[in-house]
Amino acid sequence: TLAMQVSDGIRFYDDKIIERRRFATQVENCMRRGLDNHEFQVWYQPKYDLASHRYIGAEALVRWDSPELGFLMPGQFIGIFERTGFVTQLDFYILDEVFRYQRDRRQAGLPVVPISVNQSRLHIQEQNYLNKMKRLVRQFGTIDGIELELTETAFDFESSSQRAAAVDVIRTLKEMGFRISLDDFGSGYSDLSLLNTLPLDVMKLDRTLLVASEDSARMQSVLTNTIRMGHDLGMRVICEGIETAEQEKLLLNCGCHCGQGFFYGKPMPEREFSRFLQERA
Ligand code: C2E
Ligand code: MG
Ligand code: MG
Ligand code: MG
């Protein structure tokens, strides 16, 4: 009967919620030890210049190889880490790893490509963020080869003074020498005033913009004009999530010549990425 189907549906829904809570609790129980035990890994995904056919850098993406929970993707734990505040510790671990990787390459005389690191929105609300960044830069002696990625939702504040404070944090990072990317552009509110307020070097177009443009002339127009706006404002424009030759062609037609996606290279562990760079040097 319908009543039975509905109650089955509710039970199924309840089971899912319970299962999700149980997983979140497990994640919370394992995360600190996971950090101490070096269970978190930095994987690197290349960025590509479609016009000159050259690799121009990479993005650092976290993976968690947990003995208790298995091999996890960021989508499975970053949300939980944000809720608990733990994400800021994770981000500094990743930053430290990338700084170290770049220093080791430099000292070995190997070519260094710029690597961008995702920064949680929680950082720019945290008092100590800039101090920790300054300490890290002092420790490694240089910012060369490190870029930061922030999403526009990071500037989504209730009050304008909070937002102004967040913008100041980014300006200071920029003055310190970091290149700043606006990540996932076009997927959220796309607050255009941010483009004027923030000292941005790179606009990263969200994959949904590209996908939506594949079968819509109207979206192609949005994409083309967003790309032009980015270039007019002096930014490099990179599109994420390119998977096919058709998507590459579409992007070139829309005026974008930098991309990142499975079509050019999947995220890979550090050692594999070093081989990748060596083969292309
Ligand atoms: P993001 O920064 O927008 O990173 C791009 C995501 O798109 C990555 O997912 C990447 O693997 C995926 N991707 C790349 N090429 C393609 C493609 O051709 N097709 C499709 N469908 N996807 C592609 P990933 O690694 O699962 O990371 C997801 C998100 O987790 C990231 O999105 C970022 O917001 C967050 N994240 C990753 N690492 C960190 C980190 O160290 N700290 C923080 N705070 N967030 C992180
Ligand atoms: Mg990113
Ligand atoms: Mg992105
Ligand atoms: Mg994205």
Side-chain angles (χ1 to χ4, degrees), residues 69-266:
L69 300 163
F71 188 86
L72 303 183
M73 300 294 283
Q76 296 174 275
F77 57 85
I78 289 286
I80 299 166
F81 287 8
E82 290 201 323
R83 245 192 350 267
T84 57
F86 184 69
V87 71
T88 55
Q89 271 167 269
L90 173 76
D91 281 358
F92 269 101
Y93 179 82
I94 302 295
L95 266 173
D96 200 74
E97 288 283 296
V98 176
F99 266 103
R100 179 195 51 73
Y101 181 69
Q102 296 290 59
R103 182 194 56 199
D104 289 353
R105 287 192 66 88
R106 205 173 289 119
Q107 286 179 350
L110 296 166
V112 173
V113 297
I115 294 172
S116 58
V117 187
N118 291 286
Q119 298 295 283
S120 163
R121 59 192 308 245
L122 289 196
H123 286 297
I124 51 181
Q125 307 168 39
E126 214 203 276
Q127 285 296 319
N128 235 344
Y129 180 48
L130 283 175
N131 286 332
K132 284 196 225 158
M133 282 304 235
K134 284 175 187 158
R135 205 177 311 138
L136 202 56
V137 174
R138 244 189 336 266
Q139 184 194 335
F140 285 95
T142 175
I143 267 170
D144 266 13
I146 311 277
E147 302 183 354
L148 303 176
E149 293 196 9
L150 286 133
T151 57
E152 56 176 342
T153 54
F155 304 92
D156 222 357
F157 290 108
E158 299 274 304
S159 82
S160 57
S161 66
Q162 271 180 311
R163 177 174 151 132
V167 169
D168 271 347
V169 169
I170 304 306
R171 289 199 178 134
T172 307
L173 290 171
K174 173 75 181 172
E175 277 159 22
M176 287 166 68
F178 284 109
R179 281 169 59 87
I180 313 287
S181 302
L182 193 60
D183 201 358
D184 297 343
F185 190 75
S187 66
Y189 295 100
S190 300
D191 178 350
L192 297 177
S193 72
L194 273 181
L195 298 178
N196 185 41
T197 325
L198 290 173
L200 298 169
D201 300 288
V202 182
M203 173 191 278
K204 293 193 83 178
L205 299 174
D206 197 70
R207 162 156 221 279
T208 53
L209 269 187
L210 172 66
V211 172
S213 298
E214 283 187 285
D215 53 11
S216 159
R218 292 173 67 86
M219 275 313 287
Q220 259 177 54
S221 168
V222 171
L223 184 61
T224 304
N225 286 290
T226 307
I227 291 161
R228 181 173 309 141
M229 178 174 64
H231 287 154
D232 280 352
L233 294 171
M235 290 183 244
R236 164 178 268 172
V237 180
I238 298 189
C239 187
E240 24 175 58
I242 303 168
E243 295 180 351
T244 65
E246 291 73 37
Q247 289 174 336
E248 178 185 77
K249 193 159 161 256
L250 171 68
L251 270 179
L252 283 168
N253 281 336
C254 293
C256 177
H257 53 89
C258 291
Q260 190 181 333
F262 300 158
F263 189 57
Y264 306 109
K266 293 199 166 159

Side-chain angles (χ1 to χ4, degrees), residues 6-50:
V6 169
S7 87
D8 273 0
I10 290 169
R11 190 168 319 129
F12 174 72
Y13 188 68
D14 281 351
D15 285 352
K16 274 198 129 167
I17 290 177
I18 290 165
E19 178 49 40
R20 215 179 299 150
R21 283 225 191 96
R22 186 180 304 142
F23 181 74
T25 307
Q26 277 179 312
V27 164
E28 285 169 40
N29 288 338
C30 295
M31 61 194 189
R32 279 179 196 86
R33 197 159 13 99
L35 204 56
D36 293 340
N37 293 346
H38 300 276
E39 291 165 16
F40 293 94
Q41 304 170 354
V42 186
W43 287 40
Y44 295 91
Q45 184 180 33
K47 295 177 190 163
Y48 191 71
D49 185 320
L50 288 52

